[in-house]
Amino acid sequence: MEQLFTLQRLDFDVSEIRTYFASLPADQYTPGGYRTRRFDRFKLSAAGLAKLPHQDFYQSSDYNPKLGGIVRSYQPLADELTGLASFAQLLQTFARLSGLRGEAVEIGVHQLEISCSEGHLGYPAPEGIHQDGFQVIGIYVVGVDNLQGGETLLYREKHGKPILRWTLDPGELLVINDRELFHYTSPIRVQQPGRGVRDAFVFTANVFAGGQYNTAA
């Protein structure tokens, strides 16, 4: 990926995808109960999209000072979700916008719901301004309800000024050169009394090399 980032609104219907965010299991590694999560890996090649064997998730402390060095077990994405044509189209679009060149691309998919309530914020990026250790990452917002905040910021230097500040609306995909930029998403809070949620996918991509998937978002 030669350019630093791409922001694009996708024009296909993902309403069916969002139904699979309603019953995500709790992320037991994040205190506060505001985060639910699933994780899976895929290979995209000329032969099509293939789900890779499920495995535990490990991230170096070089990228995640909060949870780095811990082997984390997340449940895989629902088969019904990954079988949707709209899901395949979403991954194919991300891979195309990533600009990665190779016979195949390995894509990690983190399915995340971040919630907030009165007096309790939700944190899409509890690790702060960071990189994820990939060639390219993507953030795609599937839906939001009753919230404000959640602004995504991109930086050339970790302690520099942001070069982009943007609150992603549902249907918008932000593709980021993870080798060149740092990123962060600000906390969310409710707009009206009750509960607020932000449903999103975080994609990570490298040219496919097989083996262990050892860094992540």
Side-chain angles (χ1 to χ4, degrees):
M1 184 180 186
E2 297 177 358
Q3 62 197 60
L4 294 177
F5 66 89
T6 299
L7 176 62
Q8 184 166 320
R9 172 169 288 280
L10 307 186
D11 60 0
F12 56 92
D13 182 15
V14 292
S15 57
E16 193 172 11
I17 286 178
R18 197 177 186 202
T19 64
Y20 292 94
F21 283 80
S23 58
L24 291 177
D27 184 345
Q28 60 181 316
Y29 304 97
T30 303
Y34 65 87
R35 191 177 181 111
T36 60
R37 184 172 188 158
R38 290 181 184 268
F39 162 72
D40 248 325
R41 306 178 304 137
F42 298 83
K43 183 173 86 168
L44 184 62
S45 66
L49 184 68
K51 182 184 270 193
L52 293 169
H54 189 71
Q55 62 185 49
D56 289 339
F57 176 66
Y58 176 84
Q59 185 173 17
S60 166
S61 57
D62 292 339
Y63 296 107
N64 190 330
K66 287 185 174 292
L67 293 173
I70 300 171
V71 176
R72 290 178 273 168
S73 296
Y74 294 115
Q75 293 184 29
L77 274 62
D79 290 339
E80 295 82 2
L81 167 61
T82 60
L84 294 174
S86 53
F87 180 81
Q89 187 178 5
L90 180 56
L91 266 62
Q92 290 161 354
T93 301
F94 165 68
R96 174 176 57 81
L97 294 176
S98 77
L100 293 178
R101 296 177 177 87
E103 292 184 0
V105 176
E106 181 174 339
I107 302 174
V109 180
H110 299 260
Q111 183 187 8
L112 295 158
E113 181 170 274
I114 311 298
S115 64
C116 55
S117 59
E118 295 171 78
H120 298 279
L121 300 178
Y123 297 89
E127 63 271 60
I129 299 170
H130 65 286
Q131 291 174 304
D132 288 328
F134 292 89
Q135 291 174 273
V136 182
I137 69 162
I139 305 170
Y140 178 76
V141 174
V142 178
V144 298
D145 293 314
N146 188 34
L147 61 81
Q148 49 189 324
E151 182 181 48
T152 296
L153 300 91
L154 302 182
Y155 305 81
R156 286 183 180 271
E157 297 87 25
K158 187 171 184 178
H159 301 293
K161 295 182 179 179
I163 64 171
L164 176 74
R165 305 178 67 107
W166 191 264
T167 302
L168 291 165
D169 288 329
E172 290 185 326
L173 171 64
L174 178 62
V175 182
I176 305 165
N177 185 328
D178 192 49
R179 297 285 172 84
E180 299 294 333
L181 297 179
F182 294 83
H183 63 280
Y184 173 68
T185 298
S186 66
I188 59 172
R189 58 190 182 279
V190 291
Q191 204 163 36
Q192 302 291 336
R195 182 173 182 265
V197 297
R198 181 180 190 262
D199 293 336
F201 287 116
V202 173
F203 303 122
T204 61
N206 286 325
V207 172
F208 184 77
Q212 288 293 109
Y213 186 86
N214 57 12
T215 54

